[in-house]
Amino acid sequence: MAQFRRLGTTTAVAVLLVSLGACTKTTPGTASAGEDADQQVRSTAGSGDGCTADKYNGGVPKRDLKTITVGFAQSEKEANPFRITETESIKAEAAKRGIKLITTNAQSDLNKEIADIQSMVAQGAQALIISPLNSEGLDPALEAAQDAKVPIMTIDRLLTTKQPCVDYIGWIGSDFVEQGKRAADALIAATGDQGETAILLGASGVNVTVDRTKGFKDQLAARNSKLTVVAEQTADFTREKGRSVTEQLISANPELTAIYAENDEMALGAIAALKAAGKKPGDVKIVTIDGTKGAVQGIVDGWISGVIESNPRFGPLAFQALEDFYGGKGVPPKTIIADKEYTKDNASAELANAY
């Protein structure tokens, strides 16, 4: 039976959890990044015919995207591959469609993201795409956009207490619970379903962390796993904290044989800590989520056992959603993207599709 034993600092956050079913498709590897690297829709969720301009928050003016300014609010420093790729994708798609785009970066500061969104509205942005820093706390920015009748499309992190087609048009992102379940399956396979494992938790206050943790633990329990979770500690999705937290964990748990990292940056930090401690590739099995080139290369090098993808290339789907919103086709409350999985069997071939 799966066991959970906590040693050290733990983080508990409660948000609305959405359970999503269906299987994830895997895309074959190619020699260079292209269509195989783009986001693909796995499923949509939510009731109704979809959000349109005339339904949104009592109705907003219909716009031609090529004649207006769209604003993009990035939440975190573009110091990790996910955020770099996310912003590049938005910019590239705007250029491809001939859309005027202004961008901001909150530098991982919620108050700055609020101010950024308010500033773009004041500058005349007539539609927004936002990547929320937290799942809650953007109320002043959302209200400013509503007052100016500026619709908002959200990507990546879900605004868990807000209403689609009222506070925002819709949301595009991954099924984070399913990602956690797939990570559990991968770690069970890598360890032979035995030993002690630790969880490197992501940032507090976001649905991504809560859902990836829930999915992982639920799957261990569902499979009656013999893996024992001996520690779980927040490392804030950063490489630096991934290293420092792992140093603490392996010191406190010398029999540790596995690590579940809730993103690649933390996993790469964990590898640095393991190397410094004299560990060799495979001594501690690591499974992680994202799909960065560094992590996929880690599979090739033997340090990482598996990577569950979380694709940040939101540009095409985000701008298509705005087109459907203004064009009358409608946007579903949730658009769930398909995420592939990197293993030792496909890592070399798929490396070019990683980001």
Side-chain angles (χ1 to χ4, degrees):
M1 183 174 185
Q3 305 171 58
F4 302 100
R5 178 157 54 91
R6 296 186 179 185
L7 301 176
T9 305
T10 61
T11 300
V13 268
V15 299
L16 179 66
L17 295 173
V18 181
S19 180
L20 300 167
C23 295
T24 302
K25 297 178 181 178
T26 302
T27 307
T30 57
S32 59
E35 290 186 2
D36 281 351
D38 291 342
Q39 287 182 343
Q40 304 294 326
V41 176
R42 191 190 83 184
S43 61
T44 58
S47 59
D49 298 327
C51 189
T52 57
D54 58 351
K55 297 177 184 176
Y56 184 81
N57 195 33
V60 296
K62 291 186 177 181
R63 309 284 190 186
D64 179 350
L65 287 181
K66 292 184 178 180
T67 66
I68 68 171
T69 298
V70 176
F72 172 57
Q74 176 59 277
S75 57
E76 296 177 333
K77 298 175 181 178
E78 284 148 354
N80 70 70
F82 187 98
R83 296 302 170 193
I84 292 170
T85 304
E86 184 179 48
T87 298
E88 287 177 348
S89 177
I90 295 291
K91 288 181 176 179
E93 189 65 18
K96 179 181 176 181
R97 291 173 180 257
I99 296 170
K100 182 179 179 182
L101 181 74
I102 56 176
T103 66
T104 59
N105 190 303
Q107 302 292 310
S108 303
D109 183 331
L110 181 62
N111 289 327
K112 186 175 187 307
E113 185 163 39
I114 291 170
D116 286 345
I117 293 169
Q118 292 170 329
S119 175
M120 287 191 288
V121 171
Q123 290 176 59
Q126 293 169 301
L128 295 172
I129 299 169
I130 68 170
S131 179
L133 178 62
N134 294 340
S135 292
E136 298 182 11
L138 284 176
D139 297 57
L142 300 178
E143 290 167 5
Q146 285 181 341
D147 290 345
K149 292 193 174 296
V150 175
I152 294 173
M153 189 67 201
T154 62
I155 59 175
D156 188 28
R157 294 172 181 172
L158 179 67
L159 298 176
T160 52
T161 61
K162 301 304 176 184
Q163 286 186 277
C165 215
V166 176
D167 300 296
Y168 61 95
I169 298 168
W171 167 82
I172 303 169
S174 295
D175 183 342
F176 303 119
V177 172
E178 182 68 15
Q179 288 177 340
K181 290 179 178 180
R182 294 170 69 195
D185 287 338
L187 200 58
I188 287 171
T191 60
D193 196 22
Q194 59 185 348
E196 297 184 352
T197 187
I199 303 175
L200 294 180
L201 299 166
S204 303
V206 297
N207 70 306
V208 179
T209 299
V210 176
D211 287 2
R212 286 177 179 171
T213 305
K214 174 179 170 57
F216 183 80
K217 290 183 175 181
D218 284 355
Q219 189 69 351
L220 291 185
R223 293 191 56 180
N224 200 28
S225 173
K226 296 179 178 63
L227 277 174
T228 302
V229 177
V230 296
E232 49 187 305
Q233 189 165 332
T234 300
D236 286 331
F237 288 135
T238 70
R239 189 177 303 199
E240 294 78 14
K241 289 189 178 180
R243 176 169 182 161
S244 62
V245 169
T246 300
E247 288 171 347
Q248 297 169 29
L249 292 175
I250 58 179
S251 175
N253 303 277
E255 301 302 315
L256 193 71
T257 54
I259 292 173
Y260 165 43
E262 293 185 339
N263 86 333
D264 287 354
E265 285 295 288
M266 294 189 295
L268 294 173
I271 291 171
L274 294 172
K275 288 180 177 179
K279 301 288 187 181
K280 297 178 181 178
D283 286 350
V284 177
K285 308 296 185 184
I286 299 174
V287 169
T288 179
I289 299 174
D290 263 351
T292 67
K293 287 188 183 297
V296 178
Q297 183 64 50
I299 297 176
V300 176
D301 296 340
W303 284 99
I304 294 177
S305 299
V307 178
I308 310 302
E309 183 190 47
S310 197
N311 194 331
R313 301 174 180 94
F314 288 97
L317 290 183
F319 280 104
Q320 188 58 51
L322 289 179
E323 292 279 8
D324 292 344
F325 172 77
Y326 285 122
K329 181 178 179 180
V331 178
K334 294 182 176 68
T335 299
I336 300 96
I337 60 175
D339 293 314
K340 68 180 74 175
E341 183 170 345
Y342 298 98
T343 68
K344 64 180 181 180
D345 295 326
N346 68 2
S348 295
E350 285 278 8
L351 187 58
N353 286 327
Y355 56 88

